[in-house]
Amino acid sequence: MAGPGAVVWDHRGVTQEAAPRGTEPATPARSRHGAAEPGAGESQPTVALPRPEAPPATAPSTTVVIEDGVIPRRLRRPLDLARFLVAAAAVAATVLIAYFATGTTEGLEEDLTGGAQLLPSIVILALNVIGGIGLLGLPIATAISLVIRRRMRQLFDALIALLVTVIALTLASYLVEQYGSDRLVAALTGNIGSQTSATAPIIGGLVAFITVTRLMGRRPWNVLSGIVIASLLIVALLSGTANVAGLLISVFAGWGLGLLARYILGTPTTRPSGTEVAEALGRGGYPLTMLRASRQTSVGRRYVATTRSGDSLEVVVLDRDLEGAGLANAAWKSLRLREEPSRGAFNMRRELDHAALMAYAAQTAGTPMPRLLLTSEVGPDSSLLAYEYTVGTRLSDLEGDQITEADLEGAWRAMRLMHEHQMAHRSLTAEHLLRDRSGDIWLLGESSGSVAASDVAMRIDVAELLCTLAMLVGPDRAVRSGRRVLGVHSLARALPVLQPVAFNPVTRKAMRKRRDLTVHLRDALVEIRPDGAIEQIDVERIKPRTLIMIVVGTIAAYVLLSQLAQVDLGELLATASLEWLAVAFIASLVTYVGAAWSLVGFVPERIPLHRTMMAQVAGDFATLVSPPTLGAVAINLRFLTKAGLHPALAGASVGVSQVAAFVMHLLLLLGFGIAAGTQADFTFDPPAWAVIAVIAVAILFLSAFAVPRLRRYVFGRVRPLLREVVPRLITVAQRPAKLVEGIGGILLLNAAYIACLVACVRAFGGDTNIAAIAVVYLAGATIGQVAPTPGGLGAVEAALAAGLTAAGLPGGLAVSSVLLFRLVTFWIPTVPGYLSFNWLTKKGYL
């Protein structure tokens, strides 16, 4: 038996303090429903160990601590991942600066090398000695220290990080020296063919070792580590084994890989135990009989405590080792939303101050929220907030018919009281609405709110509470209760911000599943105030589509400029015949008419032709960042959907158009192939990879019919598409005029492209027959459609140039003709395509 003051270990290996013999067992912690918490009063398998010393006076020996695994032995710190991204960005920035600003980096290196060489010889000797001894001595001394402190796992992790970093930097140096461009090699080594290495693997490995062992956070190890690393860097610079760029890359890479190893492998936790939490509460005047862990959170953990007087507390523990959590989410919110409180990523001290501020402000205002009783540090790595524990039932645990009108009005009144004192809650979910035993409504989760709140923030509160109650009891009851408590004017203020993007993530996710509810609430708010002007409040600073457009535009500009930089446009246009150049431009314009007809011809509904042509122009911009067919299909599908067609009908129309275009393309290829004759000098030789790809696709297609499971899978995918396409095709076939328009558009589209390529060949004096050029275009276009590159870049040019050369055109003339053709039909249209895309998007047509 364990005697008084014994330390007891439960089956999870968690410390508890057992009650002395003869005392009453601790009272089970009560939940918010008034029921005993699971396991609170259950006996645990224990092994008694004698307590080495008496407990502190502030922590009574009757305290029972049940941790239940809320303190993991190892954890991944979000801050390590954030710092790794910083290190990766630093490596990339160093490479880019060294590559594009070669003169600057060379000058900097000369200045640093020259300054270092001016050092007295005794200093240089001392640096060599310190670096040589420290290179071996520092890891050995650190290993001995970790073994003494029984941190063998941390030593093992550090050695893994050192080894991985050395291998990675050695491999990077080899790849740069063997396969890098001359400019890159010169940027990272100083001179091509020199003995200078692109990286310093040993220094990088040592930095990774120091990072994993956390030497920079301990004295005097941080000073020793800094001296050793600085000595090694200076010696490496003086000896010419690496230049400035290579050394910086090695240091940043070592730091980054060390942080990545710490994040992947985890680090030992420094969180205080539940016993230390109980002692901190005892020092604050709240000695406990029981402390039971309830759950983990993204910023720490929560406990339910019972004091010696029988009162219940809810204890929120904030842990410093979770600092940095939510950094990406906070950055995205600050970029996207205008009125999001700028609290940023989790910081223990800032979170503690903010939660205490909100609690004290709520108490002063008389808002029904749990009263904050104590804030305290729990060692150097954690802090706690102790609240009164209110017994009750969350509205999220009740059915709609169990929630009374008094409950709804109580929630509205609690929110109104916060707003009267210029506070916003910003997380009014069903989980944060509590009905106590007397029937009063309490607000929880106020730490996410703000004081001195803006008008928009309070409007969002109204809108979110309206949505929460509507999901619980229906929109009609929610609107009626809000109207009784707030009045028509105050409730209608939620209408401009009834946008799910502004809500708490829980509410936003739930509302996206019930889009009809948002429409119903909007209609209800408009009905209660039909004569009021509807304000427009744009909650979003930047929309995801805008951000995607910026990224896509940047990629497109880079691809465009890098391709055009390889072509002398002035010489190309100067040597071309102006008459044939004009014909090529006119033929290029006609392709948009053909493309528009080929689409609207397979849509029985009336679609404006001019807007359809603009959509085809916009498609040229889309193909700049996606494979040709994928970009055009996506643009057409969205255009038809925005034009009022059901998505299924829009997909069927685009599918019919694509099938018809494919069939006509094959027929044209066959017809022009026959017309071209069987000349001995005309043998189309496509690239080897294209032949391999076609064979592979054919084999996969045939295997789909050979393997039963694969055949069923393919048929399962194709059958729904045929069910949509075939009825659409029958509908179009019943209207001959539409069918003629669609097929005529396909023929006009291909004829215009063929005419454009013929004009480009004639512009440079080529005399190849038209049928042969048509075969080259049709075959090259087929290869371009299956190429995975944006717009078929590379594949189309290679196929067309090879085809024209095989048709008898001189190589130089064939390349010039293809470049002119791509300039007229692909590169130049991207500018009006971008303008059309933006205009159609702004007008809601795309």
Side-chain angles (χ1 to χ4, degrees):
M1 296 290 293
V7 177
V8 179
W9 294 77
D10 70 0
H11 65 289
R12 293 173 297 272
V14 182
T15 307
Q16 303 177 9
E17 294 185 14
R21 190 184 314 178
T23 60
E24 293 294 326
T27 304
R30 310 298 292 180
S31 72
R32 294 192 184 278
H33 305 279
E37 290 285 354
E42 299 174 3
S43 61
Q44 304 289 343
T46 58
V47 177
L49 298 173
R51 185 179 177 88
E53 59 183 4
T58 56
S61 62
T62 56
T63 301
V64 177
V65 178
I66 304 175
E67 295 280 19
D68 201 17
V70 295
I71 304 181
R73 293 184 178 181
R74 301 182 70 83
L75 53 89
R76 294 185 175 94
R77 301 173 187 264
L79 203 57
D80 286 344
L81 183 59
R83 288 171 176 168
F84 165 73
L85 296 177
V86 172
V91 171
T94 303
V95 173
L96 291 176
I97 292 173
Y99 185 83
F100 290 105
T102 307
T104 303
T105 54
E106 289 179 354
L108 177 63
E109 182 179 358
E110 290 177 0
D111 293 340
L112 291 176
T113 305
Q117 290 175 347
L118 296 177
L119 293 173
S121 57
I122 186 64
V123 175
I124 297 177
L125 177 62
L127 291 174
N128 277 277
V129 172
I130 293 173
I133 295 177
L135 185 62
L136 293 177
L138 183 64
I140 293 174
T142 304
I144 294 173
S145 174
L146 291 176
V147 170
I148 294 174
R149 295 163 59 199
R150 297 182 178 180
R151 294 197 171 184
M152 299 297 296
R153 173 64 185 273
Q154 189 174 7
L155 175 59
F156 178 72
D157 294 347
L159 293 176
I160 289 178
L162 186 151
L163 180 62
V164 169
T165 303
V166 170
I167 294 174
L169 290 178
T170 303
L171 181 61
S173 181
Y174 173 79
L175 293 176
V176 168
E177 294 169 4
Q178 294 296 322
Y179 303 104
S181 63
D182 292 344
R183 185 173 181 178
L184 180 62
V185 173
L188 298 184
T189 63
N191 293 300
I192 300 175
S194 67
Q195 298 300 316
T196 303
S197 176
T199 61
I202 301 300
I203 297 178
L206 185 59
V207 172
F209 182 88
I210 292 172
T211 302
V212 176
T213 54
R214 297 180 177 274
L215 294 185
M216 299 306 293
R218 298 171 53 206
R219 293 182 180 179
W221 295 97
N222 54 353
V223 177
L224 294 175
S225 301
I227 292 175
V228 170
I229 293 297
S231 301
L232 290 173
L233 291 174
I234 295 175
V235 170
L237 193 62
L238 289 174
S239 62
T241 56
N243 66 358
V244 174
L247 292 174
L248 288 177
I249 291 172
S250 302
V251 171
F252 289 137
W255 181 46
L257 291 175
L259 290 168
L260 186 61
R262 266 183 10 192
Y263 184 78
I264 294 176
L265 301 175
T267 54
T269 181
T270 58
R271 300 179 185 181
S273 66
T275 302
E276 294 174 84
V277 173
E279 291 174 355
L281 288 168
R283 289 193 300 268
Y286 294 93
L288 306 180
T289 58
M290 174 175 284
L291 181 69
R292 182 181 185 279
S294 59
R295 62 189 174 93
Q296 286 182 293
T297 67
S298 61
V299 296
R301 44 209 156 113
R302 287 179 179 267
Y303 293 87
V304 177
T306 304
T307 66
R308 295 180 64 183
S309 61
D311 297 326
S312 295
L313 306 178
E314 182 164 17
V315 183
V316 178
V317 178
L318 306 175
D319 294 313
R320 192 183 300 275
D321 55 18
L322 290 175
E323 287 189 346
L327 178 61
N329 189 43
W332 171 241
K333 283 185 175 180
S334 63
L335 176 67
R336 186 180 183 186
L337 302 181
R338 298 180 184 274
E339 290 294 331
E340 184 67 26
S342 56
R343 293 172 58 190
F346 169 65
N347 176 275
M348 187 190 75
R349 174 55 61 181
R350 185 171 61 241
E351 186 74 16
L352 178 71
D353 293 343
H354 182 79
L357 172 65
M358 286 298 303
Y360 291 138
Q363 290 172 206
T364 302
T367 306
M369 293 180 179
R371 189 162 63 96
L372 179 63
L373 303 176
L374 176 69
T375 59
S376 173
E377 276 195 344
V378 190
D381 296 314
S382 294
S383 57
L384 66 82
L385 300 101
Y387 296 89
E388 284 184 344
Y389 191 86
T390 306
V391 179
T393 306
R394 300 174 190 266
L395 295 192
S396 59
D397 297 327
L398 298 176
E399 300 294 335
D401 55 357
Q402 295 176 314
I403 301 175
T404 65
E405 293 299 317
D407 296 336
L408 301 178
E409 293 177 6
W412 286 114
R413 279 194 294 268
M415 185 207 65
R416 183 183 64 185
L417 188 57
M418 287 191 71
H419 290 182
E420 288 174 351
H421 291 81
Q422 303 302 306
M423 292 187 295
H425 191 283
R426 296 309 304 271
S427 186
L428 289 170
T429 65
E431 286 285 325
H432 292 156
L433 299 174
L434 179 77
R435 184 175 67 188
D436 65 11
R437 290 175 173 176
S438 62
D440 295 329
I441 297 296
W442 292 68
L443 299 181
L444 309 177
E446 74 284 351
S447 61
S448 61
S450 59
V451 296
S454 65
D455 177 69
V456 174
M458 290 188 283
R459 285 175 181 249
I460 293 174
D461 266 359
V462 177
E464 184 168 19
L465 183 57
L466 180 63
C467 292
T468 296
L469 297 180
M471 287 187 286
L472 291 173
V473 301
D476 295 332
R477 288 184 62 189
V479 171
R480 284 198 304 268
S481 61
R483 184 175 181 178
R484 287 195 300 269
V485 176
L486 302 182
V488 173
H489 175 73
S490 297
L491 183 62
R493 292 171 65 245
L495 182 58
V497 293
L498 198 59
Q499 307 172 37
V501 69
F503 298 156
N504 177 275
V506 175
T507 308
R508 180 167 64 245
K509 185 177 181 180
M511 289 297 292
R512 283 177 176 170
K513 295 180 180 178
R514 302 184 59 181
R515 297 182 183 274
D516 59 321
L517 187 58
T518 304
V519 177
H520 196 148
L521 289 174
R522 288 182 183 276
D523 295 341
L525 292 178
V526 171
E527 288 177 4
I528 65 175
R529 196 182 178 193
D531 299 330
I534 299 178
E535 302 175 73
Q536 297 295 329
I537 297 178
D538 192 2
V539 177
E540 291 183 280
R541 177 182 288 111
I542 182 172
K543 298 181 184 296
R545 183 184 300 175
T546 305
L547 188 61
I548 292 173
M549 282 297 301
I550 293 174
V551 174
V552 168
T554 303
I555 296 174
Y558 174 78
V559 173
L560 177 63
L561 294 176
S562 61
Q563 288 286 322
L564 292 182
Q566 303 175 13
V567 181
D568 189 346
L569 295 179
E571 182 180 354
L572 184 67
L573 296 176
T575 56
S577 169
L578 295 181
E579 293 80 3
W580 284 111
L581 189 60
V583 172
F585 272 106
I586 294 173
S588 177
L589 294 176
V590 173
T591 60
Y592 298 106
V593 180
W597 279 347
S598 68
L599 178 63
V600 298
F602 296 100
V603 181
E605 293 80 5
R606 182 175 176 81
I607 304 293
L609 183 62
H610 68 284
R611 284 207 296 266
T612 309
M613 290 179 60
M614 292 191 67
Q616 307 314 303
V617 177
D620 282 340
F621 173 71
T623 56
L624 190 60
V625 292
S626 65
T629 302
L630 181 62
V633 168
I635 289 291
N636 289 333
L637 185 60
R638 185 165 183 82
F639 173 73
L640 293 180
T641 304
K642 287 290 186 177
L645 271 71
H646 189 276
L649 295 179
S653 297
V654 174
V656 171
S657 175
Q658 290 296 315
V659 170
F662 177 72
V663 172
M664 295 303 300
H665 194 92
L666 293 181
L667 292 177
L668 287 173
L669 184 59
L670 178 62
F672 279 110
I674 296 174
T678 55
Q679 303 176 39
D681 60 342
F682 180 72
T683 55
F684 180 65
D685 185 18
W689 66 266
V691 176
I692 295 173
V694 171
I695 295 174
V697 170
I699 293 174
L700 290 176
F701 182 77
L702 293 176
S703 66
F705 296 92
V707 181
R709 179 177 296 181
L710 193 56
R711 182 171 62 248
R712 288 193 298 269
Y713 174 79
V714 172
F715 284 156
R717 291 285 184 177
V718 173
R719 191 176 293 112
L721 179 62
L722 294 178
R723 288 175 181 173
E724 295 178 358
V725 171
V726 173
R728 198 64 166 171
L729 184 59
I730 294 174
T731 302
V732 173
Q734 293 174 351
R735 302 177 63 178
K738 278 286 185 181
L739 195 59
V740 170
E741 184 181 12
I743 296 177
I746 295 172
L747 294 174
L748 179 61
L749 175 66
N750 284 281
Y753 273 123
I754 292 171
C756 185
L757 182 57
V758 170
C760 292
V761 172
R762 297 289 190 267
F764 293 99
D767 58 354
T768 305
N769 69 79
I770 296 177
I773 295 176
V775 172
V776 170
Y777 162 73
L778 293 170
T782 303
I783 294 175
Q785 296 296 326
V786 300
T789 56
L793 285 175
V796 174
E797 287 84 353
L800 292 180
L804 291 175
T805 304
L809 207 62
L813 197 150
V815 171
S816 298
S817 301
V818 171
L819 290 178
L820 181 59
F821 175 76
R822 292 290 278 173
L823 179 67
V824 172
T825 60
F826 183 71
W827 292 116
I828 292 179
T830 56
V831 177
Y834 176 76
L835 299 176
S836 297
F837 189 94
N838 279 340
W839 185 86
L840 291 172
T841 303
K842 186 180 297 183
K843 295 296 183 180
Y845 300 134
L846 199 61

